[in-house]
Amino acid sequence: MDPLISRRALNRATLDRQHLLRRTGLSVVEVVERLGGLQAQTPHTWYVGLWNRVEGFAPDDAAALLLSRELVRIALQRSTIHLVSGRDCLAMRPLLQQVTERMTRTTFGKRLAGVDLDELAATGRALLAERPMTFADLGRALAERWPDNDPHALGQGVRWLVPLVQVPPRGLWGRSGPVAHTSAESWLGAEARRATPPMTPAELVRRYLAAFGPASVMDVQTWSGLTRLGEVVESMDLVRFRDDSGRTLYDLPDAVRPAEEAPAPPRLMYDFDNLFLSHADRSRVITETGFAALRGFMGTNVMPRAILVDGVTAGDWTVTRTKGTSTLNLHQWEPIKALDEVEEEARRLLEFLAPGDKHEISVFDGPSKS
């Protein structure tokens, strides 16, 4: 029988691989690659994800890498925008293309009826090679060729068929810009694409386990959006565990699994952190009280910024700014025992978010949404 691994042990293993037990001195690119990317559909909140993980992280550390094209934001896992290195963009996208295809066909397939997809891809690629475009601009340009089809669907068809990166200034800290895209090939260079072989399913699973394991097949599929990975996982040289519910979990043979008593300092997470989105069973980091609190956010189009205490959810946080004073509001989902430590971390976060403001901390009982 496979050895039992407790929920707390799973928690500590995942937090360790996510660089949340202690900040790391690795470079930003190294951290982004070790995490398998950061979900980054919002232009700026993911900077907090790096601040939580990288010792001495400053926003310009990542912004400069977007400008130098070492980092890019592109639709990958779950067909959502992720921050990844340029090389991971080129390696992952061919494998994850099917995820975007499945979602696009489901939503826009009927509205693309009669469109030659090869021609759509070539036309879209050529338009975006001339200049980065928003989907609204791209759709209007494509509608000149296909006037009987929905322009929005045409633009989304190109998003499926052609790997597209969002270009700066979108995503740069403290700056804004249109959600403009160009092809990954144009942005990173055809030579880089030719020199980067597509990632295999086994390689992707290995990368996932290095960042989120131990985990089940369903966990890998939840993170990636891929299906039918059971045979891939079973064919790999992995160690096996069973969790409290009897599920089979897999891990890399040489992976570190810290002791259950390893300390986990408070962390103020960003809204779309993959820590909360990359397992089918999220109970390793979300408590029963946390699941109840999250229901209050459903239907609000708002994702909470969770507070981790002893490695699990204990509340959420918001920031308000008035007349040069930024206040970080701590919303307790349940009484926080180490509240002073959380407040210290909140002050450090305010120094990062609003270095020129006066800073205040407020504490509230209950979620920010209910």
Side-chain angles (χ1 to χ4, degrees):
M1 182 177 291
D2 298 327
L4 177 69
I5 186 167
S6 70
R7 184 177 298 172
R8 187 174 175 88
L10 287 174
N11 173 274
R12 291 310 194 255
T14 304
L15 293 179
D16 186 50
R17 297 173 202 195
Q18 287 286 307
H19 302 292
L20 292 169
L21 292 184
R22 68 197 67 81
R23 289 178 170 90
T24 180
L26 294 172
S27 72
V28 170
V29 172
E30 287 175 308
V31 170
V32 170
E33 290 190 337
R34 287 190 176 210
L35 298 176
L38 282 79
Q39 188 156 332
Q41 68 263 48
T42 55
H44 301 126
T45 62
W46 52 268
Y47 281 85
V48 174
L50 289 171
W51 177 83
N52 272 321
R53 293 169 166 93
V54 179
E55 188 69 42
F57 174 74
D60 286 346
D61 296 344
L65 293 166
L66 284 172
L67 288 169
S68 67
R69 310 186 187 193
E70 293 175 78
L71 294 179
V72 298
R73 294 168 63 239
I74 184 172
L76 287 174
Q77 297 96 316
R78 306 181 296 279
S79 195
T80 56
I81 299 296
H82 273 65
L83 176 80
V84 294
S85 68
R87 52 181 169 255
D88 272 358
C89 161
L90 296 171
M92 287 182 174
R93 178 55 192 251
L95 177 59
L96 296 172
Q97 180 85 3
Q98 60 184 284
V99 181
T100 299
E101 175 181 356
R102 183 175 69 244
M103 294 184 176
T104 306
R105 281 189 182 278
T106 298
T107 306
F108 299 101
K110 291 182 179 179
R111 285 183 269 174
L112 291 172
V115 176
D116 182 292
L117 296 180
D118 290 337
E119 185 181 356
L120 177 62
T123 303
R125 186 179 282 109
L127 287 168
L128 294 170
E130 295 176 4
R131 64 179 177 88
M133 304 174 76
T134 66
F135 281 128
D137 289 340
L138 177 61
R140 283 191 290 268
L142 293 167
E144 295 180 9
R145 168 64 184 83
W146 290 278
D148 296 330
N149 292 90
D150 175 17
H152 181 58
L154 293 169
Q156 291 301 305
V158 173
R159 180 183 184 268
W160 149 33
L161 298 164
V162 181
L164 301 181
V165 299
Q166 287 190 14
V167 301
R170 187 74 174 178
L172 298 183
W173 185 259
R175 296 179 62 183
S176 185
V179 188
H181 300 79
T182 191
S183 69
E185 182 177 286
S186 294
W187 191 247
L188 298 172
E191 183 176 342
R193 181 183 61 79
R194 287 192 292 268
T196 307
M199 192 174 289
T200 67
E203 289 170 337
L204 190 73
V205 169
R206 194 170 293 111
R207 291 285 296 276
Y208 170 80
L209 292 175
F212 296 98
S216 69
V217 173
M218 286 300 298
D219 291 329
V220 188
Q221 294 183 166
T222 295
W223 171 74
S224 65
L226 295 172
T227 59
R228 301 179 181 178
L229 290 178
E231 291 184 5
V232 175
V233 172
E234 287 291 346
S235 71
M236 298 172 63
D237 179 21
L238 302 172
V239 294
R240 295 164 54 118
F241 300 92
R242 58 186 172 90
D243 67 8
D244 296 332
S245 300
R247 284 181 287 258
T248 300
L249 306 179
Y250 301 83
D251 204 6
L252 302 173
D254 57 350
V256 174
R257 290 176 287 277
E260 290 186 2
E261 61 269 19
R267 291 287 185 256
L268 278 67
M269 309 296 286
Y270 78 102
D271 44 3
F272 289 98
D273 201 296
N274 268 337
L275 179 71
F276 306 109
L277 301 171
S278 301
H279 297 91
D281 177 7
R282 300 184 292 163
S283 63
R284 70 181 66 194
V285 289
I286 303 177
T287 64
E288 290 184 11
T289 301
F291 282 116
L294 289 172
R295 285 195 287 271
F297 292 85
M298 293 178 65
T300 65
N301 202 30
V302 172
M303 285 285 288
R305 301 173 183 184
I307 302 168
L308 293 184
V309 176
D310 194 26
V312 295
T313 53
D316 68 282
W317 61 276
T318 59
V319 173
T320 54
R321 186 173 189 271
T322 305
K323 297 180 180 178
T325 297
S326 288
T327 302
L328 197 147
N329 307 294
L330 301 170
H331 302 268
Q332 301 182 99
W333 295 351
E334 52 191 307
I336 295 176
K337 295 179 181 179
L339 186 57
D340 56 340
E341 295 179 20
V342 176
E343 290 181 359
E344 289 178 11
E345 184 73 354
R347 291 188 181 93
R348 287 190 286 267
L349 180 54
L350 280 175
E351 289 290 346
F352 173 78
L353 294 173
D357 282 4
K358 295 180 181 179
H359 299 151
E360 293 183 359
I361 307 295
S362 294
V363 181
F364 301 90
D365 292 330
S368 59
K369 299 279 185 183
S370 60

